[in-house]
Amino acid sequence: MTATPNGLRDHLGYWLRRLSDEVHGRFEKELARHDVTVSQWAVLVTVHRGDATTTREVARYVAIDAGAVSRLVDRLAAKGLMTREPDPASRRSLRLALTPAGRDLVPELAAIADRNDSHFFDSLTPHQRDQLEGWIRRLVGEAPGDAPGTST
């Protein structure tokens, strides 16, 4: 007699995907009111904070393809939120920069991100939130403090 296989809801991956879909979907709806996607938000906030300033750096930081970042930057530039500027240190390189409209918008979008996180995670204590983040970082191979894409 063969054992019954585990069901869909017996797999942690199912629950992680469900949570991710819920968090992402709610955030996406809120950002849409500002005509920004979640992926565009990632580029905007990364450049705004100075975590990355080139297409390649942003791609590494947010863990997506450089071509995808380039297309996102094109869309953000078309919306008047971002520009590509010559890098004074290298004639072949372009730096990403926010326009005044982009700089003004990022704090509003960050507040939406904070409210979205609160909606889903305020039922956890700060210690539980730290633990959850630590476990997730461990599972994706990133140590706390590592820049994304630099784990060993």
Side-chain angles (χ1 to χ4, degrees):
M1 183 176 199
T2 309
T4 303
N6 287 334
L8 176 66
R9 292 176 177 223
D10 297 320
H11 293 273
L12 186 55
Y14 167 78
W15 292 109
L16 288 171
R17 185 196 52 79
R18 281 275 312 272
L19 176 61
S20 177
D21 288 353
E22 292 288 328
V23 172
H24 182 93
R26 186 174 188 277
F27 189 40
E28 189 171 57
K29 285 178 188 172
E30 293 296 319
L31 291 178
R33 295 177 183 171
H34 296 275
D35 192 30
V36 173
T37 66
V38 174
S39 296
Q40 290 169 355
W41 150 251
V43 173
L44 287 168
V45 73
T46 298
V47 172
H48 185 272
R49 289 176 38 87
D51 294 323
T53 59
T54 67
T55 300
R56 180 172 289 145
E57 290 171 354
V58 170
R60 188 172 49 249
Y61 193 83
V62 301
I64 62 174
D65 178 78
V69 172
S70 185
R71 290 185 295 278
L72 289 166
V73 171
D74 289 344
R75 289 184 196 108
L76 290 166
K79 293 176 184 185
L81 299 174
M82 184 169 277
T83 63
R84 290 179 175 95
E85 300 175 351
D87 182 350
S90 169
R91 284 185 267 161
R92 295 184 301 170
S93 217
L94 294 174
R95 294 270 175 213
L96 303 177
L98 299 182
T99 64
R103 282 191 300 276
D104 290 345
L105 182 60
V106 170
E108 290 180 53
L109 301 179
I112 292 169
D114 291 343
R115 285 192 302 271
N116 197 60
D117 269 10
S118 291
H119 176 82
F120 288 98
F121 304 111
D122 271 1
S123 64
L124 302 176
T125 67
H127 178 70
Q128 289 170 327
R129 284 177 74 147
D130 288 346
Q131 279 186 311
L132 178 59
E133 181 180 339
W135 294 331
I136 292 169
R137 284 177 178 260
R138 180 177 175 188
L139 291 169
V140 299
E142 181 182 314
D146 278 356
T150 62
S151 62
T152 54

